[in-house]
Structure formats: structure tokens, C-alpha cells
Amino acid sequence: DDFDGGGTFVASAGLSPWVIADTSSAGTPTYTRLDHGTSGGAFGVAQLLFDNTSEVQNVCLSFGNKLCMDINDRLVFETRLKQGQTTADSATSFAFGLTGDRDDAIDSVAQAMIFRYIGDNNIVCESDDGTTDLDDKATGQTLTSTYKYFKIDAQDLTNVKFFMGDSAGRLVRVAKSVTFDVSAYSGALQPFFQLQKTADTNTDSVQIDYV
């Protein structure tokens, strides 16, 4: 999906499978397909953006727990995205990749193959199949306000591989000393992008060029 066409994401699936979960109460974070004039030159960009209300905000773009991607179908997930800011606020975290049913608490998602940053720009990898749970495995790379490529290769469920774009834009394997084994799970997954903050006034955002 290249997120063409503009318009705001909504909470119920229609012609598009993408839906938004938004836990804000007083604030109004936004979640919009940006057009060429508002996305820094890119055509078709999904933006998740906090507002400056000091409250917990969790904004998740996913298939709304419609798990339609069989984990045994040799899945490969790829995306290109960036932060809207150079440095992530210490109250902000972001997770993206393939998951089972979503949860506000990332570590409570029962099935996952995800990239993540937590309160800074450093990217980590995680996987969970309900049996083997691997959290916060360092990649040695960061995400800033420059677009970067990410790839998750789940063709071998006993050894899922994570890749990121390096400084030259080439996909290189990261956290390669870790064996991400998700073979205990035999169900289905969904694409997942979850931006969240603790009670804080920051207006951090992410921009997703495609998935």
C-alpha cells in the first residue's frame, strides 16, 4: 500500500482495510494520508501525529485485528518511513511490523515480529510467538527525520531476519547474532504501526511512505 489518495483514517474498515485505534480522551491526534504538497515531496504518505495535549496518547494504524496474513505463507514485510522530528521525545515510543491482536502495551502483544524505538532514536528488534519472547535486541542503528527502509523476512520461522537501510540506503541485516524463532505460532498476522506517548505535551509524529 502506497497510501495514495489523501484523507483521514477512520476506526472502522471500509474499502480500505486500514483502521485507527486512538486512546486519546481530551486531545486530538491526527492520522492522515498526506498528498504530495504536504508530505515533503513524497507521493502517498500515512502520517500519525500527536497533538500537544498532556495525556497518554496511543495511535495505531493496523488492520483492526483482522488477521489475514498466514504466518506460514513465507511472509516478507517491508516499509519505508521516518520520524517527523530529528530526535524522539523521551515520552514517545513507536513499534511497527507484523503482529497478532494489538494491545496498548507492546510487550503484551502475544505474537509479533517488530522494529521498535522507546524514548530515543535507537531501533531495536523484537519477536514473540507465545512461547519464545525476545525483547529489545539492539540493531546499532537509529531512526531520525530521514526516510529509512526496513524489512522483516519471515520465510524461515525458526530464524526470522531483520534488515534496515544503512547510511547509503542499502538494506543490511541487523541483530544478526540473535535467532528470532516464531515457529510455535501457526496462525495469522496483520501489519501494524503503533505510535504512543505517556502524559506529555510533545507533538512527535511518524510518516510512512509505503508498506
Side-chain angles (χ1 to χ4, degrees):
D1 197 331
D2 202 27
F3 301 114
D4 289 325
T8 299
F9 294 101
V10 295
S12 300
L15 293 177
S16 169
W18 295 103
V19 299
I20 281 289
D22 176 1
T23 69
S24 63
S25 55
T28 54
T30 55
Y31 16 87
T32 309
R33 293 178 180 88
L34 303 178
D35 60 24
H36 181 252
T38 56
S39 59
F43 287 93
V45 168
Q47 176 172 266
L48 309 179
L49 170 66
F50 298 140
D51 79 346
N52 63 0
T53 305
S54 182
E55 65 173 359
V56 174
Q57 292 186 350
N58 185 316
V59 180
C60 182
L61 180 65
S62 72
F63 279 9
N65 295 339
K66 303 299 183 185
L67 308 182
C68 54
M69 298 177 178
D70 190 330
I71 197 172
N72 293 302
D73 280 350
R74 299 175 62 85
L75 299 176
V76 177
F77 170 96
E78 185 176 311
T79 189
R80 178 178 181 258
L81 52 77
K82 66 177 181 176
Q83 294 188 89
Q85 58 286 331
T86 302
T87 303
D89 188 272
S90 60
T92 298
S93 63
F94 178 47
F96 57 99
L98 295 168
T99 72
D101 289 348
R102 71 165 294 277
D103 194 288
D104 288 349
I106 294 297
D107 289 334
S108 295
V109 177
Q111 301 87 25
M113 296 175 280
I114 57 174
F115 291 98
R116 192 177 180 192
Y117 69 72
I118 309 164
D120 58 35
N121 292 36
N122 295 303
I123 296 291
V124 297
C125 301
E126 300 189 6
S127 69
D128 194 350
D129 62 2
T131 300
T132 303
D133 184 7
L134 297 173
D135 290 337
D136 303 345
K137 301 305 179 182
T139 66
Q141 294 206 48
T142 61
L143 178 65
T144 64
S145 56
T146 300
Y147 276 115
K148 183 166 282 193
Y149 291 96
F150 296 83
K151 179 179 177 180
I152 301 169
D153 184 338
Q155 296 183 85
D156 178 358
L157 298 181
T158 68
N159 188 18
V160 175
K161 300 175 179 65
F162 291 80
F163 299 82
M164 288 179 61
D166 65 8
S167 59
R170 299 167 297 193
L171 278 171
V172 296
R173 190 175 173 189
V174 294
K176 59 185 178 182
S177 65
V178 181
T179 300
F180 295 94
D181 186 340
V182 297
S183 58
Y185 182 60
S186 58
L189 302 167
Q190 64 181 334
F192 175 96
F193 300 87
Q194 184 157 291
L195 181 70
Q196 53 199 112
K197 68 174 178 176
T198 56
D200 188 85
T201 60
N202 82 70
T203 56
D204 283 3
S205 68
V206 293
Q207 295 184 350
I208 308 156
D209 182 31
Y210 74 86
V211 57

